[in-house]
Structure formats: structure tokens, C-alpha cells
Amino acid sequence: MPPKSSLRRPRRAATAARSCAALACAALACAALACAPAPAVAPSQAPAPLRSLRIADGDLDGEPRTVSSAEAILDLDDARYAFEHAYAGLDGRSPAPSPLALARAEAALRGRAAWRPGELARLLRDVFAAPDGHLAFGHGGRAPLRLTAAPAPAPAAPAPAPAAPATCADRGAGARIEAPPRRLDAPRRPGPPVALTRSRDGVPVLAIRTFSTAAAPALAALPALAAELRRAPAFVVDLRGNAGGNYLFAERFALALTDAPLCALDEREVLSVAAAEGRANSARRRLARGDVPPEARPRFVEHLAALERLAGALRGRAADGRGAAPRVDLTTRGARIRGRAAGPLEGRAVFLVDRGCASACEMLLALVRQIPGVLVVGQNTRGGMSVGEIALFRLPRSGVTLSLGTRAYRDPLGDFVELRGFEPDVRLDGVELVEGAAALALRGAPSGAPRRGARTSCAPR
């Protein structure tokens, strides 16, 4: 297990104090690491030099290649290094496989003279698999491949036994949890990022289809929309197909609905050269692919520059002997954040969800379910929230890619289960889902329907 820091970031009275710019976050991270003194180590015991996991610009979506057994074994070791140094993982689980599992994988690689990229990606997926909705393996090129580490459960399957979700640290303007939906998830819904309409009964319906930073201009209007909606006697927030993005947009929306104190998600962040380089790789690939619209590009460029400065600063500390460890986990638990509204939620709010609601969308639910007057309806969410802020790595010989989370989160009420998601308070099926949600907003939940949110304690069930 990597060393866990005893450092705890101070609790903040207001979310604004935590919503720093990317450069400020990088400086804070460096300062936090500096708080951990470097142990006295004899020259012969000095740690091995840190590897570079930065992907060359020309290889961000490069073609993979078939490799020899010896090359595949070297790529296996690079994958182990990436997991040990960057993967946040679930609480109670080692971020990397056991030495025995790695030895068996190496033996399997020795058993064949050559390994095609897809075959190697599948072997790595099996070796490093975890109940993590974001963890994925594959490759780019003309025929890209993406293999999730844990398949989505069948609709009627019982919930998997939960490993306790993990936790993380301070969030900045560039903190994102973004990954394509798995094959069995509900598809993303077409339309603008944010749209306000009305049901046939006149109930306001706010559709939020993404929290991606690429949609920042539209998402910036969410707090103002929340301030308007919270005074209505009833309204619906339609989150179907929202696969997540930048949690700050979700949090600001939730805090604009109420003035009550809410239990923040527990968080744990991996601070390391590998984590910073991997997150920078992910941002650089989005820019290279043209996935970022022009209006959001300056934010991405700033975020990328901050990550690369952070990686350079951490590498410099390790090189001159001042680094405390190749990896430090920074943790915040039990924090509370106060809503920014002028008063409590005045009416009834219904949040409509499905299997497409994931990541930052599920993090929004972790907050709003604590607000009296909020009802969650629809289907189970996807169950991909526990480990996020994705880092991308490309194994240098085969070109096989790894996508893993460098921050981990835990639902403060303890109701979320990775891969199962949140269960709705009221299940809705059929084609008239928005009208059904609007009817519940007007008349309330049926008698006997369970109410899971609006609890006064952050203690898990």
C-alpha cells in the first residue's frame, strides 16, 4: 500500500474558499506536500528515480502495436507503476494487484511469443480489475478499444457487496470527473447542455444534460436558475443521460437551492508526479481531439499548464531529495458546506434520473438528497462516482491505454454503492417520465414511498 499522509486540509466555512483556480490548487498541493518532511535515507536506500508517464503529443491517439513477450512484461510493470503511484482506488483495497497476481500475469505473458494490443488490454483489465465504474483499458488508433474494468450489472441483479467508497481533497476549477458512458448505460440525451421548459401542467422542468467544463458558458447560469426555481411551488430537474463532468458546477447548483448546511462528500486525492502527468495527458488529448469548444479552451489550457507545473515541481523535489514519498494521499472527511440561498427550499423539487446519470451527476444527488423537499425519481443511477478525476496513461511499447481515477469520493449519507448507484425514492417507467415527475412534484410521493434524503446526520446508515 502506498503511504497515506496524516495531513488533513482545513475545513472551510464557504465553498468559495475551496473553489480555487487551477494554478492556486497546484500551489496548495505543493505546499501540502512540503508539510511532510523527507525522511533521512542513506544513499544506498534512496528511492528509484521517478518514471515519466507523459504521453508524447504525437502518441495521444497513436496506433497500438503487437509486441513481444518481453515487451509486454515491461508494459505490465509500467501499468503496475501507474496504479501504485496514481490510482486512488476504493477504501480498503490496495491500488495495485498483489505480487502473486502480478507474477501470474507475467507468467502468462511469457507463455506466448507475441501479444496483440487488444489481447494485452484484456489481460491487463483482468489483472487490475476493480469494482470501479471509471476504470478502463484499451487503445486509440483507427479502431479504438475501450474495456471497462467492471461490467454494469443487469437491471434485476442484486447490488454487489460494497467496498467502502473512497475520499479526496480540495477541488479546483479544473477538477473534473469525465469518462464516456459504459455500453450498457443510457445514452446521452441530445439537446443543449441546459434547457428550461414546462410540463403540460405548467411545472418548470430544468434539463441539465452535462457538467462538462466544455459547456461552462451554459452551466454558469445554473445558480441563477436555481434561485428562480427554489421559489416555485414545484419543479423538476431532469438529469437523465448526464454522465458528469466538473463537480463544481453541480455543487454550485445544489448550494443555490437552500440555505441549510449540507454534509460534503468525503474526498481523497492522490498527490504524485504520476497523477499530475496522467491528468495532464487526459486534458491534452481532449484538446488535441478538438473536443473542447473555443469558448472553453482558455480554461482547459490554464488547467493543463497548472498540472504540468505541479508535475515538474514534484519531480524536482524528488530529484533533490526533498520529496517525502512518491505518493501522498490528501484527505478531507466530515466537512459541512452551507447553502447560499436566501432561505430554505420553498416548494417540492423532483430530480429525474436514469442509468445515464453518473459521476458528477451522482455527486449532485449526494448533496440534494439532504435537502427537505427533494425527491429522487426514475431508475437507479449508473454507479460510477467513487473514483474520479481521470488520468490517462499509454504504455510505451504496445500503446495500450489505462484510464484511472486519481481522486476518490464517498457519499456522506452512505446510500451510494459503486456500480449500483443511487436508488430512487420513487421508481418511474414508461415514456411520459417528465410528466410523471411533474405530477409527483405537484402532489408528492405516494403513501409508503421511502424517503432516503433530508437526514440531519452525516453518519452512514
Side-chain angles (χ1 to χ4, degrees):
M1 290 283 290
K4 289 191 176 181
S5 171
S6 61
L7 300 175
R8 290 183 179 268
R9 293 186 173 176
R11 298 180 183 180
R12 292 142 174 91
T15 305
R18 298 177 302 128
S19 303
C20 55
L23 178 58
C25 288
L28 177 60
C30 290
L33 185 61
C35 293
V41 179
S44 60
Q45 299 175 317
L50 297 177
R51 305 180 192 183
S52 175
L53 300 180
R54 187 184 191 278
I55 303 174
D57 291 343
D59 289 335
L60 287 168
D61 260 321
E63 287 291 330
R65 57 182 290 266
T66 298
V67 294
S68 67
S69 173
E71 290 174 313
I73 290 171
L74 291 173
D75 270 1
L76 171 67
D77 189 60
D78 278 339
R80 173 202 60 77
Y81 181 93
F83 271 78
E84 288 184 352
H85 286 249
Y87 182 43
L90 301 168
D91 277 353
R93 295 175 62 102
S94 172
S98 67
L100 178 59
L102 290 169
R104 288 173 176 169
E106 183 175 337
L109 293 174
R110 292 187 188 280
R112 292 173 51 180
W115 287 83
R116 294 194 293 254
E119 296 169 333
L120 181 57
R122 287 177 174 83
L123 181 142
L124 294 174
R125 187 267 312 271
D126 294 342
V127 172
F128 293 91
D132 176 351
H134 279 108
L135 184 60
F137 302 79
H139 58 72
R142 291 186 296 272
L145 173 70
R146 187 177 190 272
L147 305 169
T148 55
T167 54
C168 162
D170 203 286
R171 296 185 291 274
R176 295 182 301 282
I177 307 178
E178 300 183 67
R182 297 199 304 275
R183 185 172 299 172
L184 297 182
D185 292 333
R188 298 192 188 210
R189 298 170 60 234
V194 177
L196 182 60
T197 58
R198 289 186 177 271
S199 71
R200 287 194 295 265
D201 293 332
V203 175
V205 178
L206 177 66
I208 308 175
R209 297 184 172 92
T210 183
F211 288 116
S212 173
T213 304
L219 297 172
L222 287 179
L225 290 170
E228 177 183 345
L229 290 172
R230 59 174 292 277
R231 294 190 294 269
F235 64 92
V236 173
V237 180
D238 186 355
L239 296 173
R240 291 175 298 160
N242 185 326
N246 188 333
Y247 170 57
L248 285 182
F249 293 117
E251 183 183 69
R252 289 165 184 162
F253 177 71
L255 296 182
L257 291 173
T258 182
D259 65 344
L262 303 177
C263 307
L265 282 81
D266 291 341
E267 307 179 26
R268 176 167 48 82
E269 175 191 10
V270 177
L271 180 62
S272 69
V273 174
E277 287 184 340
R279 282 150 50 191
N281 288 337
S282 182
R284 287 167 52 236
R285 185 171 67 168
R286 290 199 65 187
L287 287 167
R289 285 179 167 182
D291 293 342
V292 182
E295 61 270 21
R297 190 175 179 88
R299 184 187 297 265
F300 270 79
V301 171
E302 179 186 5
H303 169 64
L304 174 58
L307 286 172
E308 292 184 333
R309 285 194 294 271
L310 174 59
L314 295 175
R315 186 177 292 281
R317 289 181 54 81
D320 62 17
R322 292 184 293 125
R327 165 179 171 155
V328 175
D329 285 27
L330 301 175
T331 302
T332 299
R333 297 183 187 272
R336 288 177 178 264
I337 48 178
R338 178 168 289 278
R340 299 175 181 171
L345 182 67
E346 296 179 13
R348 184 182 292 110
V350 169
F351 283 70
L352 177 60
V353 299
D354 64 2
R355 291 290 294 175
C357 173
S359 201
C361 180
E362 292 172 308
M363 295 169 78
L364 171 64
L365 294 181
L367 291 182
V368 300
R369 292 170 74 254
Q370 303 174 47
I371 302 174
V374 167
L375 197 67
V376 178
V377 308
Q379 304 299 317
N380 277 42
T381 60
R382 186 170 90 192
M385 181 187 83
S386 295
V387 190
E389 192 163 358
I390 302 303
L392 173 69
F393 302 104
R394 185 178 190 270
L395 302 179
R397 299 155 194 90
S398 63
V400 168
T401 56
L402 321 172
S403 297
L404 54 86
T406 62
R407 290 183 189 247
Y409 302 85
R410 182 165 57 199
D411 168 31
L413 302 188
D415 295 326
F416 177 85
V417 177
E418 187 75 0
L419 303 185
R420 185 205 71 184
F422 282 111
E423 294 184 287
D425 299 316
V426 178
R427 292 195 176 273
L428 286 184
D429 294 297
V431 294
E432 295 285 328
L433 294 179
V434 170
E435 297 302 325
L440 287 170
L442 286 171
R443 294 185 282 276
S447 60
R451 183 69 185 92
R452 295 181 172 84
R455 289 167 48 205
T456 58
S457 172
C458 295
R461 290 182 186 274

